């Protein structure tokens, strides 16, 4: 162990010259300083004003006369200002049953009725609540109306919204620390059906949370249940019926499972799952995805196994260098530990992670429970919110990220409203970055933009969105440093503040007169007429967004310009299939399809 820590220190010193000065600054926010003993937290834009609002759970039994016992909804008023609107939106009864008085634990945002306003699901000991969002103005308790009945003697810890049956409506799975987990199927009429037994998801381990991911890539979302006592369980979805396949997919975790996060730490296109344990007994685990679909445990190899008594965790690109870093919060009762920030060295050194907790200034010591990362001040980088059981929540503002960025909001039409379960790929040259849209973790689930750090890249070649319930869409030539919205099977929309949405029009300074032959065997001629002199750039992409050819030709005003591509002369591999081309002159673009026979 001494040798291990010595090597870790040497690695950090050697890498200092190549690291960005990633750091965070704890914000002094008055509304947070008045809170304590908090468990779950999650964010969503509940009122549709473009900012991410925050819900924080108070663990104490609810008492209207005791402000410290209130879970709080904090409206984001912009410029980093959070305002307590708990009373204003009717959240003055924080139990489904007026006779129930017990501890409160988790919160999940999800738009179950597809009205564009995210609803709340709250998990308590012995109870849970479904609160319907009424147009961003107020919340109404509809738990009984929705036919959601808790089981006596339970301790409901977390919940996860997902579309298990691909009908475009989100369903919900509820984790139970003391009893069987519950699965509710959305009927589409405001009610839910308890399918815990019939679905095969009535897991009876001591569950802290669950995460959803299509492990075998068959188009149906699978679920991994993180249990404190007993093994975590991977349930594979066979069109609505689930079977335990934990061992077959290499996802055995023998530790005391707490929290989880999904990311792609090595940018290989295979998503990875990190699970927190009591690392003093058994280390945390990193299930690294592979081409075979079977996961490999690599926490020790990547230097992220030791994180003390760990709970909430998040993969995110904190420094915008294009690889995802890792944050872990720690603590239990009198056992207080520093929170851990692990910097991903994939870009700098091509290796694993190093402990960058002190340098990032996010290593504050407390009893951390839940963490969420989101852009609270709308400046493009991700900030960190931590709930603590023995002190006020922390909000760490990101002040060290210097690279470019992109935030993508997803709106489903065929798929569920917020496209939970979608995969997003950003392609820049031969480099690809991947994100999974889910928002779930221990005691919390958020609805937030998919975030990419882009380093020094200002223009993205293509963005591929694999929607849960429809074909993938590819969008080309997207500028960095903006927040954009993709609507399933519709056009690109650029989001602007003050509720303005502008369709991005392509009014070109040139005209593509013709391109032929199409289909072809790999030789194509483009005829272009320009309204100005300058360079015309031609890029050819595979259907998956990889750029395989780039050419530039000088053009003159009102003259026909010819651009030719040839898979023989240009020495480009172009197997039979569909390709996308992009013609660009300055900021004007024309995009089309080619068929290679």
């Amino acid at each position: 162990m001494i040798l291990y820590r010595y090597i870790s220190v040497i690695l950090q010193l050697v890498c200092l010259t190549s690291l960005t000065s990633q750091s965070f600054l704890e914000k002094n926010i008055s509304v947070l300083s008045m809170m304590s003993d908090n468990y779950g937290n999650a964010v969503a834009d509940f009122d549709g004003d473009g900012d991410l609002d925050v819900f924080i759970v108070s663990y104490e039994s609810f008492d209207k006369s005791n402000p410290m016992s209130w879970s709080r909804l904090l409206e984001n008023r912009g410029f980093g200002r959070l305002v307590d609107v708990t009373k204003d939106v009717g959240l003055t009864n924080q139990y489904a049953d007026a006779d129930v008085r017990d501890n409160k634990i988790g919160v999940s945002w999800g738009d179950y009725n597809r009205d564009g306003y995210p609803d709340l699901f709250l998990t308590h000991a012995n109870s849970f609540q479904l609160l319907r969002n009424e147009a961003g103005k107020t919340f109404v308790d509809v738990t009984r109306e929705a036919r959601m009945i808790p089981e006596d003697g339970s301790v409901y810890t977390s919940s996860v919204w997902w579309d298990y049956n691909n009908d475009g409506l989100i369903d919900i799975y509820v984790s139970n620390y003391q009893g069987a987990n519950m699965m509710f199927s959305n009927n589409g009429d405001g009610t839910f059906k308890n399918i815990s037994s019939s679905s095969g998801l009535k897991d009876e381990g001591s569950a802290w949370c669950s995460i959803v991911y299509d492990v075998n890539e068959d188009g149906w979302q699978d679920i991994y249940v993180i249990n404190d006592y007993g093994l975590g369980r991977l349930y594979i979805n066979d069109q609505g019926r689930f079977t335990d396949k934990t061992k077959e997919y290499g996802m055995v975790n023998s530790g005391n499972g707490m929290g989880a996060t999904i990311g792609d730490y090595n940018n290989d296109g295979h998503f990875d799952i990190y699970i927190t344990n009591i690392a003093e007994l058994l280390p945390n685990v990193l299930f690294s995805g592979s081409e075979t679909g079977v996961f490999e445990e690599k926490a020790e190899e990547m230097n992220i196994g030791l994180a003390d008594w760990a709970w909430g965790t998040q993969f995110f690109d904190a420094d915008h260098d294009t690889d995802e870093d890792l944050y872990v919060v720690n603590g239990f009762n009198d056992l207080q530990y520093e929170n851990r920030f692990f910097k991903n060295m994939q870009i700098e050194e091509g290796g694993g992670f190093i402990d960058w907790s002190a340098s990032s200034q996010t290593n504050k010591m407390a009893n951390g429970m839940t963490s969420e990362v989101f852009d609270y001040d709308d400046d493009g980088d991700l900030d960190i919110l931590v709930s603590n059981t023995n002190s006020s929540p922390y909000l760490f503002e990101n002040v060290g990220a210097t690279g470019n960025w992109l935030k993508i909001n997803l709106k489903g039409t065929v798929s569920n409203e917020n496209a939970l379960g979608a995969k997003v790929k950003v392609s820049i040259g031969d480099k690809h970055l991947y994100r999974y849209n889910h928002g779930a973790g221990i005691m919390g689930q958020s609805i937030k933009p998919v975030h990419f750090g882009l380093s020094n890249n200002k223009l993205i070649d293509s963005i591929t969105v694999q929607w849960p319930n429809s074909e993938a869409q590819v969008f080309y030539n997207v500028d960095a440093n903006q927040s954009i919205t993709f609507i399933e099977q519709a056009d690109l929309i650029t989001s602007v503040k003050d509720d303005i949405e502008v369709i991005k029009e392509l009014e070109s300074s040139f005209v593509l007169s013709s391109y032929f032959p199409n289909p072809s065997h790999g030789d194509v001629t483009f005829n272009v007429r320009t309204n100005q002199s300058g360079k015309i750039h031609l890029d050819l992409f595979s259907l998956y967004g990889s750029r395989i050819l780039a050419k530039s030709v000088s053009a003159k005003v009102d003259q026909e310009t010819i651009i030719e591509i040839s898979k023989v002369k240009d020495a480009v591999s172009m197997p039979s299939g569909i390709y996308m081309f992009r013609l660009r002159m300055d900021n004007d673009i024309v995009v089309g399809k080619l068929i290679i026979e």
Side-chain angles (χ1 to χ4, degrees):
M1 181 59 69
I2 294 176
L3 177 61
Y4 168 81
R5 294 189 181 274
Y6 174 76
I7 292 173
S8 178
V9 170
I10 293 298
L11 274 175
Q12 293 184 42
L13 292 174
V14 169
C15 295
L16 279 174
T17 57
S18 62
L19 292 173
T20 58
S21 56
Q22 179 59 39
S23 60
F24 291 79
L25 176 67
E26 185 179 353
K27 299 293 291 183
N28 182 16
I29 298 178
S30 59
V31 66
L32 295 183
S33 66
M34 295 185 291
M35 304 175 70
S36 185
D37 200 16
N38 302 116
Y39 270 54
N41 63 53
V43 304
D45 181 9
F46 88 91
D47 52 4
D49 66 353
D51 298 303
L52 290 174
D53 311 297
V54 180
F55 193 95
I56 302 181
V57 176
S58 172
Y59 182 67
E60 288 188 43
S61 181
F62 181 70
D63 181 352
K64 285 188 178 181
S65 64
N66 178 13
M68 296 299 290
S69 73
W70 285 51
S71 298
R72 301 281 175 178
L73 177 60
L74 309 180
E75 182 187 356
N76 192 335
R77 297 272 175 90
F79 305 101
R81 183 174 173 228
L82 299 176
V83 178
D84 185 355
V85 295
T86 309
K87 290 184 179 179
D88 299 339
V89 298
L91 293 174
T92 54
N93 178 22
Q94 299 183 3
Y95 282 104
D97 190 328
D99 296 327
V100 173
R101 291 291 182 268
D102 216 330
N103 301 115
K104 307 183 297 298
I105 302 174
V107 52
S108 295
W109 291 99
D111 188 358
Y112 78 93
N113 58 357
R114 301 205 65 160
D115 65 352
Y117 291 93
D119 309 294
L120 280 169
F121 193 87
L122 306 179
T123 47
H124 317 309
N126 289 320
S127 183
F128 45 66
Q129 274 180 286
L130 176 62
L131 301 169
R132 187 177 64 216
N133 186 343
E134 298 291 313
K137 304 298 184 183
T138 188
F139 288 84
V140 177
D141 190 330
V142 294
T143 314
R144 292 183 176 179
E145 176 185 322
R147 301 176 188 171
M148 290 181 156
I149 309 298
E151 295 184 354
D152 293 338
S154 298
V155 177
Y156 296 108
T157 51
S158 302
S159 57
V160 58
W161 292 103
W162 58 314
D163 183 6
Y164 86 99
N165 56 359
N166 288 343
D167 65 354
L169 300 170
I170 52 173
D171 315 288
I172 194 163
Y173 188 66
V174 186
S175 297
N176 190 350
Y177 193 82
Q178 188 172 296
N181 298 345
M182 301 186 75
M183 178 66 201
F184 292 98
S185 180
N186 190 338
N187 293 324
D189 59 0
T191 67
F192 290 78
K193 181 181 180 180
N194 186 342
I195 60 166
S196 307
S197 297
S198 61
S199 65
L201 289 177
K202 199 172 183 177
D203 189 287
E204 297 190 26
S206 298
W208 276 114
C209 69
S210 300
I211 52 174
V212 175
Y213 173 57
D214 183 6
V215 171
N216 56 358
E217 298 185 352
D218 65 350
W220 296 80
Q221 297 287 298
D222 311 302
I223 189 166
Y224 188 78
V225 180
I226 292 94
N227 289 319
D228 191 348
Y229 297 103
L231 298 177
R233 300 289 181 185
L234 171 65
Y235 293 96
I236 294 295
N237 186 349
D238 183 9
Q239 301 187 36
R241 176 69 187 179
F242 294 82
T243 306
D244 185 350
K245 297 286 185 181
T246 310
K247 293 182 179 179
E248 288 89 330
Y249 285 89
M251 297 190 70
V252 175
N253 175 31
S254 301
N256 299 90
M258 309 285 194
T261 183
I262 303 176
D264 184 15
Y265 75 94
N266 53 3
N267 290 336
D268 66 352
H270 306 292
F271 286 100
D272 316 296
I273 300 173
Y274 183 76
I275 297 174
T276 56
N277 292 323
I278 303 174
E280 293 186 342
L281 303 177
L282 282 174
N284 299 346
V285 297
L286 172 63
F287 291 129
S288 184
S290 68
E291 291 184 2
T292 65
V294 178
F295 290 85
E296 302 176 55
E297 207 292 292
K298 292 189 175 182
E300 182 178 1
E301 179 182 337
M302 293 294 109
N303 190 33
I304 53 177
L306 302 180
D308 306 306
W309 199 302
W311 296 89
T313 180
Q314 295 283 340
F315 274 123
F316 71 114
D317 188 354
D319 50 5
H320 291 175
D321 66 349
T322 73
D323 58 20
E324 290 185 285
D325 309 296
L326 182 67
Y327 190 67
V328 185
V329 299
N330 290 288
F332 184 70
N333 291 339
D334 293 331
L335 298 174
Q336 296 187 23
Y337 303 93
E338 291 185 347
N339 296 333
R340 298 292 187 94
F341 180 94
F342 294 104
K343 177 171 173 53
N344 191 338
M345 300 302 294
Q346 194 75 26
I347 299 300
E348 290 84 356
E349 301 293 330
F353 295 76
I354 63 171
D355 191 331
W356 204 245
S357 306
S359 298
S360 68
Q361 302 179 62
T362 60
N363 61 330
K364 199 162 181 177
M365 183 176 289
N367 288 342
M369 295 299 291
T370 308
S371 63
E372 182 55 282
V373 294
F374 69 109
D375 187 6
Y376 102 97
D377 50 3
D378 200 29
D379 64 352
D381 53 31
L382 296 178
D383 313 293
I384 304 173
L385 174 68
V386 179
S387 293
N388 299 298
T389 62
N390 64 336
S391 64
S392 299
Y394 306 145
L395 181 57
F396 295 111
E397 180 187 2
N398 192 331
V399 296
T402 57
N404 298 305
W405 53 272
L406 184 71
K407 293 189 297 184
I408 301 173
N409 295 283
L410 299 176
K411 180 176 175 58
T413 53
V414 181
S415 303
N416 63 86
E417 181 70 19
N418 297 110
L420 298 176
K423 300 174 185 177
V424 183
K425 179 176 72 170
V426 160
S427 299
I428 304 171
D430 60 355
K431 186 178 183 65
H432 307 287
L433 311 175
Y434 304 86
R435 298 290 185 270
Y436 177 63
N437 182 41
H438 69 105
I442 187 171
M443 304 179 211
Q445 183 178 20
S446 297
I447 299 173
K448 57 185 181 178
V450 178
H451 176 272
F452 289 88
L454 300 173
S455 187
N456 61 349
N457 298 291
K458 295 183 178 180
L459 182 68
I460 298 164
D461 291 330
S462 67
I463 300 174
T464 304
V465 180
Q466 178 57 68
W467 300 96
N469 292 16
S470 69
E471 296 298 319
Q473 283 178 278
V474 185
F475 302 87
Y476 296 91
N477 201 65
V478 179
D479 292 325
N481 303 320
Q482 63 170 323
S483 178
I484 60 178
T485 298
F486 291 134
I487 299 177
E488 188 174 11
Q489 307 308 321
D491 293 328
L492 171 64
I493 287 180
T494 301
S495 68
V496 183
K497 281 292 182 182
D498 301 324
D499 297 324
I500 299 172
E501 290 186 338
V502 180
I503 299 207
K504 193 171 184 179
E505 299 176 346
L506 302 178
E507 298 178 347
S508 294
S509 57
F510 67 91
V511 175
L512 175 59
S513 303
S514 63
Y515 60 100
F516 61 92
N518 187 31
S520 77
H521 294 291
D523 296 311
V524 182
T525 299
F526 295 81
N527 292 322
V528 180
R529 180 170 291 277
T530 63
N531 298 322
Q532 65 184 46
S533 298
K535 289 278 189 181
I536 295 182
H537 306 278
L538 171 66
D539 297 300
L540 187 65
F541 300 86
S542 73
L543 196 57
Y544 300 101
S546 298
R547 183 167 53 187
I548 61 176
L549 176 65
K551 302 189 81 167
S552 298
V553 176
S554 296
K556 295 182 180 180
V557 177
D558 292 330
Q559 289 190 9
E560 197 81 26
T561 301
I562 297 175
I563 309 174
E564 296 179 329
I565 63 173
S566 169
K567 68 178 179 181
V568 176
K569 293 179 180 178
D570 294 319
V572 178
S573 174
M574 286 192 283
S576 298
I578 299 174
Y579 295 80
M580 303 295 297
F581 69 83
R582 179 185 68 201
L583 284 165
R584 178 168 55 91
M585 189 172 191
D586 293 333
N587 292 322
D588 297 325
I589 311 159
V590 170
V591 176
K593 291 183 179 180
L594 289 177
I595 298 175
I596 306 298
E597 296 180 330

